[in-house]
Amino acid sequence: MLGAVSLLWSQPARSQETDTLGVTNSPTANAIVKTYIPLGLDAGVTPKAASVKQPVESEISVMGMVPYGDYRLFSATMRCNAWTAGVEYDRHSWGNFLGSQMDYVVEVIPLVFLSQPARSDFWGNATSPNQELVHGLSLSPFGIRWLWRSDKAIRLYVVSKLGAIVFDKKAFSPKASYANFNVQAAFGVQIRMTKRMDLRIDPFEFFHVSNGYLAASNPGMDELATRFGVTYHLGRLQR
């Protein structure tokens, strides 16, 4: 009886093993493995290309200023004129406004030569016919420029700057100060000469200097002048 039971038990086990091997080696299973396609390629989805950030355009200008003459708009001094030579940096990073490109502007003027009366009273009135030359240094970190026709060969702009100017002696009055505020405003034109170089002319420049009553006397100076120079475009040029 034990031998008969053993014989009957072994037959179903062999049959189950045979069925398992048959399923594993069946053509259907092999076909499923071979036709497997990763998700995404079958759906036709194209990976997005990484966006390339465009560099910010900027330029640097070397400018000189020549005064028209003696004017009094918001000041009281006479026979006071300033000649300057400096460097201006313009960065095209503030978008557009009223059809113009808005640029951040900063300027350094290491050469400021002020011609003023050799002697003057408390109010800045000349008490001597002689003139003296006073050296100064100006820094204008707050500036903005509105540039029209930015993609053309001839471009128009309006620029405004605010900063400080320091002289090597008290300017305009013996009771005034060494340090003064400096306000500038100009209308100009920029003309393309090469891909890198432009000619820049400011036919009308307003140049104001005063100490804002940080000292007892504040005669100040107002000047109308012309600025001119050359501009160099920095970085890689856009094609």
Side-chain angles (χ1 to χ4, degrees):
M1 291 180 65
L2 292 175
V5 170
S6 300
L7 180 62
L8 293 173
W9 179 263
S10 62
Q11 288 181 356
R14 291 177 181 177
S15 177
Q16 184 177 1
E17 182 179 358
T18 303
D19 294 340
T20 303
L21 293 174
V23 171
T24 304
N25 297 326
S26 64
T28 304
N30 293 337
I32 293 174
V33 174
K34 291 179 181 179
T35 58
Y36 172 73
I37 300 175
L39 182 61
L41 298 178
D42 185 49
V45 178
T46 304
K48 292 183 178 180
S51 59
V52 179
K53 186 177 180 180
Q54 296 293 333
V56 178
E57 296 182 21
S58 60
E59 59 190 53
I60 189 168
S61 303
V62 179
M63 305 284 291
M65 185 181 73
V66 178
Y68 287 146
D70 183 24
Y71 294 90
R72 290 189 294 177
L73 299 177
F74 305 101
S75 63
T77 56
M78 297 187 66
R79 291 168 39 197
C80 291
N81 294 284
W83 289 261
T84 69
V87 179
E88 179 180 309
Y89 173 76
D90 301 88
R91 182 177 177 86
H92 314 323
S93 57
W94 283 357
N96 298 285
F97 179 71
L98 297 178
S100 67
Q101 176 181 281
M102 296 178 63
D103 303 339
Y104 167 70
V105 178
V106 60
E107 183 182 43
V108 178
I109 307 179
L111 300 177
V112 179
F113 298 101
L114 171 65
S115 174
Q116 67 175 11
R119 292 193 304 272
S120 59
D121 61 14
F122 178 88
W123 306 106
N125 299 313
T127 58
S128 170
N130 300 322
Q131 293 287 112
E132 66 177 356
L133 204 61
V134 181
H135 176 257
L137 169 67
S138 176
L139 172 63
S140 298
F142 308 107
I144 185 171
R145 182 176 71 162
W146 294 268
L147 179 68
W148 285 271
R149 299 166 49 90
S150 58
D151 58 342
K152 305 298 182 180
I154 299 178
R155 286 161 280 179
L156 306 176
Y157 61 86
V158 174
V159 62
S160 178
K161 290 167 282 188
L162 173 63
I165 185 168
V166 180
F167 295 101
D168 58 5
K169 67 173 295 182
K170 292 183 178 181
F172 314 124
S173 168
K175 299 298 182 180
S177 60
Y178 294 92
N180 294 265
F181 296 104
N182 184 203
V183 179
Q184 300 180 59
F187 163 78
V189 59
Q190 195 163 321
I191 305 171
R192 182 183 302 159
M193 296 190 297
T194 67
K195 291 183 178 180
R196 288 280 186 183
M197 302 290 293
D198 294 340
L199 174 65
R200 183 168 168 176
I201 303 173
D202 297 353
F204 301 104
E205 166 86 8
F206 173 67
F207 194 84
H208 173 79
V209 180
S210 66
N211 61 36
Y213 288 100
L214 297 177
S217 176
N218 181 32
M221 182 194 77
D222 292 315
E223 179 174 272
L224 295 179
T226 296
R227 290 204 321 159
F228 56 91
V230 293
T231 296
Y232 181 81
H233 294 270
L234 304 173
R236 180 179 297 178
L237 296 177
Q238 294 185 356
R239 296 183 179 179

